Amino acid sequence: MPAAEAPAPAEFSPELLPALLDLSLTGVVLYEPVRDAAGAVVDLAFAYLNPAAQRMLRLPARPAATFLAQFPAGRNEGFAFHRDAFLGDAPGQFDVNYQADGYDNYFRIAARRVGGQLLVSFTDTADQPRTAVEEALRASQAREQTARAEAERQRRQLDNVLMQAPAMICVFEGPSHRFQFVNGPYQGLVGNRPLLGLPIAEAMPELAGQPIFERLDGVYRTGEPFFANEMLVQLDHDNSNPAALEERYYNFTYQARRDLAGAIDGILVFAYEVTMQVLAHRAAEASTQQAAALNAQLDALNEELAATNEELHATNEEFLAGNEALGRTQLKLEVTNRALLSAARRAADAQAAAEAARAELARVFEQAPVAIAIMEGPAHTVALANPEMFLIWGRSPAQVIGRPHFEALPDLAGQGFEAIFADVFRSGQPYYLREQPVRVDRAGNGRPTLGYYHITYQPLRDGQGNITGLTASAVEVTDQVRARQQVQALNEELATTNEELRASNEEFLVNNTALAAAQQALGALNQALEARVA
Protein backbone atom coordinates (compact mmCIF):
# COMPACT_ATOMS: atom_id res chain seq x y z
CA MET A 1 0.00 0.00 0.00
CA PRO A 2 1.28 3.48 -0.72
CA ALA A 3 2.46 5.46 2.30
CA ALA A 4 -0.07 7.84 3.81
CA GLU A 5 0.61 11.45 2.93
CA ALA A 6 1.10 14.05 5.71
CA PRO A 7 -1.79 16.49 6.04
CA ALA A 8 -1.16 19.88 4.53
CA PRO A 9 -0.35 22.64 7.12
CA ALA A 10 -3.34 24.65 8.15
CA GLU A 11 -3.59 28.16 6.82
CA PHE A 12 -4.22 30.94 9.37
CA SER A 13 -6.88 33.49 8.72
CA PRO A 14 -5.68 37.13 8.46
CA GLU A 15 -8.18 37.98 11.22
CA LEU A 16 -6.46 35.59 13.67
CA LEU A 17 -3.70 37.94 14.94
CA PRO A 18 -5.98 40.95 15.58
CA ALA A 19 -8.49 38.64 17.30
CA LEU A 20 -5.72 37.12 19.43
CA LEU A 21 -4.49 40.57 20.51
CA ASP A 22 -8.06 41.66 21.31
CA LEU A 23 -8.81 38.52 23.39
CA SER A 24 -5.44 38.28 25.16
CA LEU A 25 -5.49 38.80 28.93
CA THR A 26 -1.86 39.85 28.65
CA GLY A 27 -0.95 43.42 27.82
CA VAL A 28 0.95 43.92 24.55
CA VAL A 29 2.76 47.16 23.65
CA LEU A 30 4.70 48.00 20.51
CA TYR A 31 7.29 50.78 20.91
CA GLU A 32 9.33 52.78 18.43
CA PRO A 33 12.71 54.19 19.54
CA VAL A 34 13.25 57.95 19.95
CA ARG A 35 16.84 58.94 19.20
CA ASP A 36 18.90 62.07 19.85
CA ALA A 37 21.12 63.87 17.33
CA ALA A 38 23.94 61.37 17.98
CA GLY A 39 21.64 58.39 17.32
CA ALA A 40 21.40 57.20 20.93
CA VAL A 41 18.04 55.84 22.15
CA VAL A 42 16.75 58.42 24.66
CA ASP A 43 13.03 57.48 24.83
CA LEU A 44 10.34 55.14 23.44
CA ALA A 45 7.19 56.22 21.58
CA PHE A 46 3.95 54.17 21.84
CA ALA A 47 3.05 52.64 18.44
CA TYR A 48 0.26 50.26 19.56
CA LEU A 49 -1.47 48.96 22.75
CA ASN A 50 -3.84 45.99 22.73
CA PRO A 51 -7.08 46.25 24.78
CA ALA A 52 -5.56 44.53 27.84
CA ALA A 53 -2.63 46.97 27.82
CA GLN A 54 -5.03 49.89 27.38
CA ARG A 55 -7.03 48.74 30.40
CA MET A 56 -4.01 48.10 32.67
CA LEU A 57 -2.15 51.29 31.70
CA ARG A 58 -5.30 53.43 31.29
CA LEU A 59 -4.13 54.61 27.86
CA PRO A 60 -5.63 54.68 24.35
CA ALA A 61 -4.45 52.35 21.59
CA ARG A 62 -1.98 54.90 20.17
CA PRO A 63 -1.20 57.51 22.88
CA ALA A 64 0.78 60.61 22.01
CA ALA A 65 2.91 60.38 25.18
CA THR A 66 6.29 58.64 25.33
CA PHE A 67 7.53 56.05 27.86
CA LEU A 68 9.40 58.60 30.02
CA ALA A 69 6.52 61.07 29.91
CA GLN A 70 4.08 58.36 31.10
CA PHE A 71 6.46 56.69 33.62
CA PRO A 72 8.91 59.40 34.84
CA ALA A 73 9.67 57.44 38.02
CA GLY A 74 10.89 54.56 35.83
CA ARG A 75 13.62 56.63 34.22
CA ASN A 76 16.39 54.50 35.72
CA GLU A 77 15.57 50.78 36.01
CA GLY A 78 12.45 50.57 33.83
CA PHE A 79 13.72 52.55 30.86
CA ALA A 80 17.15 50.91 31.05
CA PHE A 81 15.53 47.43 30.71
CA HIS A 82 13.45 48.45 27.66
CA ARG A 83 16.39 50.22 26.01
CA ASP A 84 18.75 47.26 26.58
CA ALA A 85 16.13 44.81 25.26
CA PHE A 86 15.83 46.89 22.07
CA LEU A 87 19.59 47.13 21.61
CA GLY A 88 20.26 43.46 22.50
CA ASP A 89 19.80 40.27 20.50
CA ALA A 90 17.92 38.13 23.05
CA PRO A 91 14.55 38.57 24.81
CA GLY A 92 14.62 39.94 28.34
CA GLN A 93 12.40 39.70 31.42
CA PHE A 94 11.87 42.22 34.21
CA ASP A 95 9.76 42.21 37.41
CA VAL A 96 8.92 45.50 39.14
CA ASN A 97 6.58 46.71 41.90
CA TYR A 98 5.70 50.12 40.45
CA GLN A 99 4.18 52.53 42.96
CA ALA A 100 4.44 55.91 41.29
CA ASP A 101 2.82 58.14 38.67
CA GLY A 102 -0.68 57.02 39.67
CA TYR A 103 0.08 53.26 39.50
CA ASP A 104 0.27 50.67 42.26
CA ASN A 105 0.96 47.42 40.39
CA TYR A 106 3.31 44.47 40.37
CA PHE A 107 4.34 44.09 36.69
CA ARG A 108 6.01 41.09 35.05
CA ILE A 109 7.45 42.20 31.71
CA ALA A 110 8.99 40.39 28.70
CA ALA A 111 10.49 42.29 25.76
CA ARG A 112 12.42 41.69 22.52
CA ARG A 113 13.36 43.60 19.44
CA VAL A 114 11.29 42.95 16.29
CA GLY A 115 12.82 44.67 13.29
CA GLY A 116 13.10 48.36 14.09
CA GLN A 117 10.56 48.18 16.94
CA LEU A 118 10.34 46.82 20.51
CA LEU A 119 7.58 44.30 21.33
CA VAL A 120 6.60 44.09 25.03
CA SER A 121 4.25 41.63 26.74
CA PHE A 122 3.31 42.17 30.38
CA THR A 123 0.92 41.17 33.16
CA ASP A 124 0.01 42.82 36.44
CA THR A 125 -1.66 41.82 39.67
CA ALA A 126 -4.00 44.79 40.08
CA ASP A 127 -7.08 42.58 39.61
CA GLN A 128 -5.74 39.65 41.70
CA PRO A 129 -5.87 39.07 45.45
CA ARG A 130 -2.69 40.15 47.23
CA THR A 131 -0.60 37.47 48.92
CA ALA A 132 0.48 37.89 52.52
CA VAL A 133 4.02 38.64 51.34
CA GLU A 134 2.76 41.31 48.92
CA GLU A 135 0.57 42.89 51.61
CA ALA A 136 3.51 42.95 54.03
CA LEU A 137 5.71 44.48 51.33
CA ARG A 138 3.10 47.13 50.53
CA ALA A 139 2.68 47.95 54.24
CA SER A 140 6.47 48.23 54.62
CA GLN A 141 6.66 50.49 51.59
CA ALA A 142 3.83 52.65 52.93
CA ARG A 143 5.66 53.04 56.25
CA GLU A 144 8.86 53.87 54.41
CA GLN A 145 7.10 56.53 52.34
CA THR A 146 5.53 58.01 55.48
CA ALA A 147 8.90 58.04 57.22
CA ARG A 148 10.55 59.65 54.21
CA ALA A 149 7.82 62.30 54.05
CA GLU A 150 8.22 63.04 57.77
CA ALA A 151 12.01 63.18 57.43
CA GLU A 152 11.68 65.54 54.48
CA ARG A 153 9.22 67.73 56.46
CA GLN A 154 11.62 67.91 59.37
CA ARG A 155 14.52 68.67 57.01
CA ARG A 156 12.59 71.54 55.42
CA GLN A 157 11.56 72.76 58.85
CA LEU A 158 15.14 72.67 60.10
CA ASP A 159 16.38 74.44 56.95
CA ASN A 160 13.73 77.11 57.55
CA VAL A 161 14.88 77.58 61.14
CA LEU A 162 18.55 77.72 60.17
CA MET A 163 17.81 80.29 57.47
CA GLN A 164 15.83 82.42 59.96
CA ALA A 165 18.38 82.09 62.79
CA PRO A 166 20.39 85.33 63.30
CA ALA A 167 23.49 83.27 64.19
CA MET A 168 26.03 82.66 61.41
CA ILE A 169 25.57 79.06 60.23
CA CYS A 170 27.09 77.18 57.29
CA VAL A 171 27.80 73.59 56.20
CA PHE A 172 31.01 72.56 54.44
CA GLU A 173 31.11 69.44 52.23
CA GLY A 174 34.11 67.25 51.45
CA PRO A 175 37.83 67.63 52.21
CA SER A 176 38.03 70.87 50.18
CA HIS A 177 35.36 72.39 52.50
CA ARG A 178 32.94 73.35 49.73
CA PHE A 179 30.02 75.56 50.87
CA GLN A 180 26.88 73.36 50.82
CA PHE A 181 24.62 75.57 52.98
CA VAL A 182 24.91 79.23 54.03
CA ASN A 183 22.31 81.19 56.00
CA GLY A 184 21.75 84.93 55.74
CA PRO A 185 23.97 86.16 58.62
CA TYR A 186 26.91 84.07 57.37
CA GLN A 187 26.44 85.35 53.80
CA GLY A 188 26.41 88.84 55.29
CA LEU A 189 30.08 88.40 56.24
CA VAL A 190 31.05 89.03 52.60
CA GLY A 191 27.98 90.82 51.18
CA ASN A 192 26.89 89.51 47.81
CA ARG A 193 30.09 87.57 47.13
CA PRO A 194 29.13 84.03 45.88
CA LEU A 195 29.78 81.21 48.38
CA LEU A 196 27.55 78.19 47.61
CA GLY A 197 29.31 75.44 45.67
CA LEU A 198 32.78 76.99 46.14
CA PRO A 199 35.62 75.75 48.40
CA ILE A 200 36.30 78.21 51.21
CA ALA A 201 39.86 78.77 49.98
CA GLU A 202 38.45 79.96 46.64
CA ALA A 203 35.47 81.89 48.06
CA MET A 204 37.47 83.64 50.83
CA PRO A 205 41.11 83.79 49.61
CA GLU A 206 41.99 86.54 52.10
CA LEU A 207 41.89 83.89 54.89
CA ALA A 208 45.17 82.44 53.58
CA GLY A 209 47.84 82.75 56.27
CA GLN A 210 45.22 82.74 59.06
CA PRO A 211 44.56 79.51 61.05
CA ILE A 212 41.04 78.90 59.59
CA PHE A 213 42.01 76.43 56.83
CA GLU A 214 44.30 74.48 59.18
CA ARG A 215 41.53 74.17 61.82
CA LEU A 216 39.01 72.93 59.23
CA ASP A 217 41.47 70.34 57.91
CA GLY A 218 42.11 69.12 61.46
CA VAL A 219 38.40 68.66 62.26
CA TYR A 220 37.78 66.86 58.92
CA ARG A 221 40.79 64.59 59.49
CA THR A 222 40.29 63.71 63.19
CA GLY A 223 36.56 64.27 63.82
CA GLU A 224 37.44 66.22 66.97
CA PRO A 225 35.36 69.45 67.30
CA PHE A 226 37.10 72.83 67.50
CA PHE A 227 35.85 75.66 69.71
CA ALA A 228 37.13 79.23 69.27
CA ASN A 229 36.64 81.98 71.85
CA GLU A 230 37.17 85.59 70.84
CA MET A 231 39.30 84.52 67.84
CA LEU A 232 40.62 87.23 65.49
CA VAL A 233 39.47 86.80 61.85
CA GLN A 234 40.35 89.26 59.07
CA LEU A 235 37.99 89.48 56.07
CA ASP A 236 37.21 91.83 53.20
CA HIS A 237 33.65 92.27 54.45
CA ASP A 238 32.38 94.72 51.83
CA ASN A 239 34.47 93.31 48.91
CA SER A 240 35.98 96.75 48.29
CA ASN A 241 39.67 96.46 49.20
CA PRO A 242 41.26 92.99 49.58
CA ALA A 243 44.50 94.63 50.74
CA ALA A 244 42.85 96.33 53.77
CA LEU A 245 41.24 93.58 55.85
CA GLU A 246 39.03 94.48 58.80
CA GLU A 247 39.81 92.91 62.19
CA ARG A 248 36.85 91.33 63.96
CA TYR A 249 36.50 88.74 66.74
CA TYR A 250 34.24 85.66 66.76
CA ASN A 251 33.15 82.75 68.94
CA PHE A 252 32.55 79.70 66.76
CA THR A 253 32.36 75.91 66.65
CA TYR A 254 33.55 73.47 63.98
CA GLN A 255 31.71 70.12 64.29
CA ALA A 256 32.38 67.12 62.01
CA ARG A 257 29.36 65.82 60.05
CA ARG A 258 29.13 62.08 59.39
CA ASP A 259 27.23 60.00 56.83
CA LEU A 260 25.09 56.94 57.64
CA ALA A 261 28.20 54.73 57.65
CA GLY A 262 29.87 56.98 60.21
CA ALA A 263 32.44 58.46 57.81
CA ILE A 264 33.16 62.19 58.00
CA ASP A 265 31.72 63.95 54.92
CA GLY A 266 31.57 67.59 56.01
CA ILE A 267 31.76 70.19 58.80
CA LEU A 268 28.98 72.17 60.57
CA VAL A 269 29.83 75.76 61.57
CA PHE A 270 28.01 77.90 64.18
CA ALA A 271 29.43 81.38 64.87
CA TYR A 272 28.59 84.81 66.25
CA GLU A 273 30.57 88.04 66.44
CA VAL A 274 31.98 89.24 69.79
CA THR A 275 34.07 92.20 68.60
CA MET A 276 32.33 94.69 70.90
CA GLN A 277 32.72 92.38 73.91
CA VAL A 278 36.47 92.12 73.26
CA LEU A 279 36.76 95.90 72.96
CA ALA A 280 34.77 96.34 76.18
CA HIS A 281 37.05 93.89 78.02
CA ARG A 282 40.12 95.75 76.80
CA ALA A 283 38.63 99.10 77.85
CA ALA A 284 37.90 97.70 81.31
CA GLU A 285 41.48 96.37 81.61
CA ALA A 286 42.86 99.76 80.53
CA SER A 287 40.68 101.50 83.14
CA THR A 288 41.98 99.13 85.82
CA GLN A 289 45.59 99.82 84.84
CA GLN A 290 44.98 103.59 84.87
CA ALA A 291 43.39 103.38 88.31
CA ALA A 292 46.45 101.47 89.59
CA ALA A 293 48.73 104.16 88.12
CA LEU A 294 46.70 106.88 89.86
CA ASN A 295 46.98 105.05 93.18
CA ALA A 296 50.75 104.83 92.74
CA GLN A 297 50.90 108.58 92.03
CA LEU A 298 48.81 109.31 95.14
CA ASP A 299 51.21 107.22 97.27
CA ALA A 300 54.18 109.15 95.89
CA LEU A 301 52.38 112.43 96.56
CA ASN A 302 51.71 111.47 100.16
CA GLU A 303 55.42 110.75 100.63
CA GLU A 304 56.31 114.15 99.17
CA LEU A 305 53.79 115.88 101.45
CA ALA A 306 55.35 114.18 104.48
CA ALA A 307 58.81 115.37 103.39
CA THR A 308 57.45 118.92 102.98
CA ASN A 309 56.01 118.90 106.52
CA GLU A 310 59.43 117.90 107.90
CA GLU A 311 61.02 120.82 106.05
CA LEU A 312 58.43 123.26 107.50
CA HIS A 313 59.46 122.20 111.04
CA ALA A 314 63.20 122.51 110.42
CA THR A 315 65.42 124.93 112.36
CA ASN A 316 65.93 128.59 111.54
CA GLU A 317 69.32 127.83 109.95
CA GLU A 318 67.64 125.27 107.66
CA PHE A 319 65.08 127.99 106.72
CA LEU A 320 67.93 130.45 105.94
CA ALA A 321 69.77 127.89 103.85
CA GLY A 322 66.58 126.47 102.37
CA ASN A 323 65.05 129.36 100.42
CA GLU A 324 66.20 127.82 97.19
CA ALA A 325 65.08 124.36 98.36
CA LEU A 326 61.67 125.81 99.21
CA GLY A 327 61.44 127.24 95.70
CA ARG A 328 62.31 123.85 94.24
CA THR A 329 59.74 122.21 96.49
CA GLN A 330 57.06 124.68 95.39
CA LEU A 331 57.91 123.99 91.73
CA LYS A 332 57.76 120.27 92.38
CA LEU A 333 54.36 120.66 94.03
CA GLU A 334 53.06 122.63 91.04
CA VAL A 335 54.34 119.94 88.65
CA THR A 336 52.80 117.23 90.77
CA ASN A 337 49.50 119.15 90.88
CA ARG A 338 49.46 119.41 87.09
CA ALA A 339 50.24 115.67 86.85
CA LEU A 340 47.33 114.88 89.14
CA LEU A 341 44.99 117.07 87.09
CA SER A 342 46.17 115.34 83.90
CA ALA A 343 45.65 111.93 85.50
CA ALA A 344 42.15 112.96 86.52
CA ARG A 345 41.39 113.97 82.94
CA ARG A 346 42.74 110.63 81.67
CA ALA A 347 40.57 108.82 84.18
CA ALA A 348 37.53 110.77 82.94
CA ASP A 349 38.45 109.92 79.32
CA ALA A 350 38.82 106.24 80.25
CA GLN A 351 35.41 106.32 81.92
CA ALA A 352 33.86 107.89 78.77
CA ALA A 353 35.55 105.21 76.61
CA ALA A 354 34.16 102.50 78.87
CA GLU A 355 30.67 104.02 78.57
CA ALA A 356 30.98 104.09 74.77
CA ALA A 357 32.21 100.49 74.75
CA ARG A 358 29.24 99.43 76.87
CA ALA A 359 26.87 101.15 74.41
CA GLU A 360 28.43 99.19 71.53
CA LEU A 361 28.30 96.02 73.66
CA ALA A 362 24.54 96.47 74.10
CA ARG A 363 24.18 96.54 70.31
CA VAL A 364 26.23 93.33 69.99
CA PHE A 365 24.07 91.66 72.63
CA GLU A 366 21.18 91.95 70.20
CA GLN A 367 22.92 89.46 67.85
CA ALA A 368 21.28 86.06 67.68
CA PRO A 369 22.30 82.88 69.58
CA VAL A 370 23.21 79.46 68.26
CA ALA A 371 21.07 77.37 70.62
CA ILE A 372 17.98 76.40 68.57
CA ALA A 373 14.77 74.48 69.35
CA ILE A 374 11.55 73.80 67.42
CA MET A 375 8.21 73.37 69.22
CA GLU A 376 5.01 72.22 67.49
CA GLY A 377 1.34 72.78 68.22
CA PRO A 378 -0.39 74.68 71.00
CA ALA A 379 1.14 72.30 73.57
CA HIS A 380 4.61 73.42 72.34
CA THR A 381 5.81 69.84 71.87
CA VAL A 382 9.60 69.80 71.40
CA ALA A 383 10.28 68.45 67.90
CA LEU A 384 13.93 69.34 67.38
CA ALA A 385 16.77 70.96 69.33
CA ASN A 386 20.50 71.28 68.75
CA PRO A 387 23.26 70.29 71.24
CA GLU A 388 23.70 73.89 72.46
CA MET A 389 20.05 74.02 73.56
CA PHE A 390 20.32 70.64 75.34
CA LEU A 391 23.40 72.02 77.13
CA ILE A 392 21.40 75.03 78.34
CA TRP A 393 18.43 72.84 79.36
CA GLY A 394 20.63 70.28 81.14
CA ARG A 395 18.64 67.45 79.52
CA SER A 396 19.27 64.67 77.01
CA PRO A 397 17.24 64.37 73.76
CA ALA A 398 15.43 61.31 75.13
CA GLN A 399 14.16 63.38 78.07
CA VAL A 400 12.75 66.22 75.94
CA ILE A 401 11.99 65.28 72.31
CA GLY A 402 8.31 64.45 71.70
CA ARG A 403 7.12 65.95 75.00
CA PRO A 404 5.39 69.27 75.73
CA HIS A 405 7.96 71.94 76.63
CA PHE A 406 6.89 72.67 80.19
CA GLU A 407 6.23 68.99 80.96
CA ALA A 408 9.77 68.06 79.92
CA LEU A 409 11.29 71.22 81.51
CA PRO A 410 9.20 71.98 84.63
CA ASP A 411 11.97 74.19 86.09
CA LEU A 412 11.26 76.75 83.32
CA ALA A 413 7.56 76.96 84.25
CA GLY A 414 6.35 79.92 86.29
CA GLN A 415 8.96 82.34 84.89
CA GLY A 416 6.59 84.03 82.41
CA PHE A 417 7.45 81.94 79.34
CA GLU A 418 4.00 80.29 79.15
CA ALA A 419 2.34 83.61 78.31
CA ILE A 420 5.08 84.48 75.78
CA PHE A 421 4.69 81.12 74.00
CA ALA A 422 0.91 81.52 73.83
CA ASP A 423 1.18 85.09 72.51
CA VAL A 424 3.69 84.19 69.74
CA PHE A 425 1.59 81.15 68.72
CA ARG A 426 -1.60 83.22 68.69
CA SER A 427 -0.44 86.53 67.19
CA GLY A 428 2.35 85.35 64.90
CA GLN A 429 4.58 88.19 66.14
CA PRO A 430 8.20 87.43 67.21
CA TYR A 431 9.24 88.08 70.81
CA TYR A 432 12.71 89.22 71.84
CA LEU A 433 14.28 89.06 75.33
CA ARG A 434 17.65 90.62 76.12
CA GLU A 435 19.76 89.56 79.12
CA GLN A 436 16.76 87.70 80.46
CA PRO A 437 17.38 86.19 83.92
CA VAL A 438 16.42 82.51 83.80
CA ARG A 439 16.66 79.81 86.44
CA VAL A 440 17.22 76.38 84.88
CA ASP A 441 18.43 73.05 86.28
CA ARG A 442 21.44 72.74 83.98
CA ALA A 443 23.29 70.32 86.32
CA GLY A 444 20.29 67.97 86.59
CA ASN A 445 20.51 67.94 90.41
CA GLY A 446 17.14 69.57 91.10
CA ARG A 447 18.70 72.94 92.02
CA PRO A 448 18.15 75.52 89.25
CA THR A 449 20.85 78.13 88.83
CA LEU A 450 20.51 81.72 87.62
CA GLY A 451 21.86 82.72 84.20
CA TYR A 452 21.28 85.51 81.70
CA TYR A 453 20.30 84.93 78.07
CA HIS A 454 19.43 86.70 74.83
CA ILE A 455 16.27 84.84 73.68
CA THR A 456 14.26 85.08 70.44
CA TYR A 457 10.88 83.42 69.84
CA GLN A 458 9.50 83.34 66.30
CA PRO A 459 6.35 81.75 64.84
CA LEU A 460 6.83 78.71 62.60
CA ARG A 461 4.57 78.62 59.55
CA ASP A 462 3.66 75.96 56.99
CA GLY A 463 3.52 76.44 53.23
CA GLN A 464 0.09 78.14 53.48
CA GLY A 465 1.26 80.61 56.12
CA ASN A 466 -0.58 78.91 59.01
CA ILE A 467 1.20 78.97 62.37
CA THR A 468 2.14 75.39 63.31
CA GLY A 469 4.55 76.04 66.15
CA LEU A 470 7.38 78.31 67.18
CA THR A 471 11.16 78.41 67.24
CA ALA A 472 13.36 79.43 70.14
CA SER A 473 16.97 80.54 69.96
CA ALA A 474 19.16 81.54 72.89
CA VAL A 475 22.71 82.63 73.68
CA GLU A 476 23.99 82.71 77.24
CA VAL A 477 25.40 86.13 78.19
CA THR A 478 25.93 85.50 81.91
CA ASP A 479 29.66 86.30 81.67
CA GLN A 480 28.98 89.53 79.77
CA VAL A 481 26.36 90.68 82.30
CA ARG A 482 28.69 89.99 85.20
CA ALA A 483 31.56 91.70 83.38
CA ARG A 484 29.39 94.77 82.89
CA GLN A 485 28.55 94.73 86.60
CA GLN A 486 32.29 94.65 87.32
CA VAL A 487 32.82 97.61 84.97
CA GLN A 488 30.08 99.50 86.80
CA ALA A 489 31.78 98.72 90.12
CA LEU A 490 35.08 99.94 88.63
CA ASN A 491 33.40 103.18 87.51
CA GLU A 492 32.18 103.72 91.04
CA GLU A 493 35.74 103.15 92.28
CA LEU A 494 37.03 105.65 89.70
CA ALA A 495 34.46 108.19 90.91
CA THR A 496 35.76 107.71 94.48
CA THR A 497 39.33 108.17 93.20
CA ASN A 498 38.34 111.42 91.47
CA GLU A 499 36.83 112.64 94.71
CA GLU A 500 40.12 111.87 96.50
CA LEU A 501 42.01 113.76 93.78
CA ARG A 502 39.84 116.83 94.28
CA ALA A 503 40.44 116.64 98.04
CA SER A 504 44.19 116.35 97.45
CA ASN A 505 44.10 119.43 95.19
CA GLU A 506 42.42 121.41 97.93
CA GLU A 507 45.08 120.21 100.39
CA PHE A 508 47.79 121.35 97.94
CA LEU A 509 46.24 124.83 97.85
CA VAL A 510 46.25 124.99 101.67
CA ASN A 511 49.91 123.86 101.79
CA ASN A 512 50.87 126.46 99.16
CA THR A 513 49.23 129.17 101.27
CA ALA A 514 51.13 127.95 104.35
CA LEU A 515 54.39 127.97 102.40
CA ALA A 516 53.79 131.55 101.28
CA ALA A 517 53.12 132.61 104.88
CA ALA A 518 56.27 130.84 106.04
CA GLN A 519 58.32 132.65 103.37
CA GLN A 520 56.94 136.01 104.53
CA ALA A 521 57.77 135.16 108.15
CA LEU A 522 61.27 134.08 107.14
CA GLY A 523 61.78 137.37 105.26
CA ALA A 524 60.70 139.35 108.29
CA LEU A 525 63.08 137.32 110.49
CA ASN A 526 65.98 138.00 108.13
CA GLN A 527 65.26 141.74 108.17
CA ALA A 528 65.18 141.70 112.00
CA LEU A 529 68.52 139.81 112.16
CA GLU A 530 70.12 142.24 109.71
CA ALA A 531 68.89 145.24 111.76
CA ARG A 532 70.26 143.72 115.00
CA VAL A 533 73.65 143.07 113.39
CA ALA A 534 73.81 146.66 112.15
Side-chain angles (χ1 to χ4, degrees), residues 381-403:
T381 301
V382 180
L384 293 172
N386 70 343
E388 292 293 331
M389 185 63 80
F390 288 121
L391 184 63
I392 291 176
W393 285 342
R395 305 293 199 282
S396 67
Q399 293 174 306
V400 178
I401 297 298
R403 300 178 62 190

Side-chain angles (χ1 to χ4, degrees), residues 172-523:
F172 291 120
E173 181 181 29
S176 65
H177 317 306
R178 188 178 302 273
F179 282 101
Q180 185 181 30
F181 171 85
V182 176
N183 76 340
Y186 194 100
Q187 178 66 58
L189 285 173
V190 292
N192 58 0
R193 189 194 308 182
L195 296 179
L196 286 177
L198 297 177
I200 186 173
E202 179 180 343
M204 298 177 172
E206 65 267 35
L207 291 176
Q210 302 181 53
I212 299 298
F213 299 157
E214 179 183 353
R215 299 298 187 188
L216 288 170
D217 290 340
V219 173
Y220 193 90
R221 183 178 63 255
T222 65
E224 293 294 328
F226 174 72
F227 304 94
N229 184 50
E230 298 182 354
M231 182 172 176
L232 172 63
V233 179
Q234 296 176 283
L235 279 173
D236 181 14
H237 292 282
D238 56 5
N239 307 319
S240 61
N241 188 0
L245 303 182
E246 184 177 357
E247 294 186 354
R248 297 186 187 180
Y249 297 85
Y250 300 89
N251 290 353
F252 57 85
T253 300
Y254 291 160
Q255 180 71 44
R257 186 187 69 177
R258 299 179 183 271
D259 58 21
L260 295 178
I264 297 174
D265 66 354
I267 296 176
L268 306 176
V269 179
F270 294 86
Y272 58 98
E273 186 177 351
V274 293
T275 302
M276 292 302 104
Q277 290 96 314
V278 172
L279 296 179
H281 293 162
R282 291 180 178 178
E285 292 174 358
S287 297
T288 301
Q289 293 173 358
Q290 290 178 350
L294 288 175
N295 288 333
Q297 291 178 0
L298 287 173
D299 291 341
L301 177 61
N302 289 332
E303 293 177 358
E304 292 179 1
L305 288 174
T308 302
N309 288 332
E310 291 178 359
E311 291 178 3
L312 289 174
H313 293 87
T315 62
N316 186 42
E317 293 181 356
E318 289 173 338
F319 274 115
L320 293 174
N323 283 333
E324 184 178 356
L326 286 173
R328 289 197 303 271
T329 301
Q330 183 175 3
L331 178 62
K332 184 185 297 183
L333 288 173
E334 292 174 354
V335 172
T336 303
N337 190 32
R338 287 196 297 271
L340 286 172
L341 293 175
S342 177
R345 284 195 295 270
R346 289 197 301 272
D349 292 342
Q351 182 176 358
E355 291 293 338
R358 282 197 300 275
E360 287 298 319
L361 179 60
R363 183 184 65 80
V364 172
F365 285 161
E366 294 178 359
Q367 298 295 317
V370 296
I372 303 168
I374 301 174
M375 290 162 280
E376 296 179 334
H380 316 303
T381 301
V382 180
L384 293 172
N386 70 343
E388 292 293 331
M389 185 63 80
F390 288 121
L391 184 63
I392 291 176
W393 285 342
R395 305 293 199 282
S396 67
Q399 293 174 306
V400 178
I401 297 298
R403 300 178 62 190
H405 181 274
F406 295 104
E407 176 184 318
L409 303 163
D411 45 325
L412 291 178
Q415 300 187 52
F417 297 111
E418 297 94 330
I420 294 174
F421 282 21
D423 182 69
V424 174
F425 189 85
R426 181 184 64 256
S427 67
Q429 297 297 319
Y431 203 97
Y432 305 97
L433 297 173
R434 288 291 179 268
E435 299 181 0
Q436 176 69 18
V438 180
R439 291 190 176 275
V440 59
D441 184 12
R442 298 185 65 170
N445 56 12
R447 294 191 294 272
T449 57
L450 176 64
Y452 297 86
Y453 301 84
H454 290 338
I455 306 174
T456 300
Y457 296 107
Q458 293 186 350
L460 188 64
R461 301 178 184 272
D462 59 19
Q464 290 71 42
N466 299 315
I467 299 175
T468 60
L470 55 88
T471 65
S473 57
V475 169
E476 183 175 5
V477 292
T478 302
D479 292 341
Q480 292 92 321
V481 171
R482 291 175 179 168
R484 187 184 64 207
Q485 293 171 347
Q486 292 175 357
V487 170
Q488 291 173 346
L490 179 59
N491 288 336
E492 294 174 359
E493 182 178 342
L494 286 175
T496 302
T497 302
N498 289 335
E499 216 36 57
E500 293 175 354
L501 286 173
R502 283 193 291 271
S504 297
N505 289 337
E506 293 175 359
E507 185 177 350
F508 276 134
L509 294 176
V510 172
N511 287 336
N512 286 338
T513 302
L515 284 173
Q519 285 180 327
Q520 291 178 356
L522 181 60

Side-chain angles (χ1 to χ4, degrees), residues 20-57:
L20 178 61
L21 291 174
D22 290 342
L23 292 175
S24 176
L25 299 177
T26 300
V28 177
V29 180
L30 188 64
Y31 291 106
E32 291 184 354
V34 177
R35 301 178 184 271
D36 61 10
V41 177
V42 295
D43 205 344
L44 297 167
F46 290 99
Y48 167 76
L49 284 79
N50 77 332
Q54 296 174 38
R55 174 179 55 80
M56 286 185 278
L57 299 182

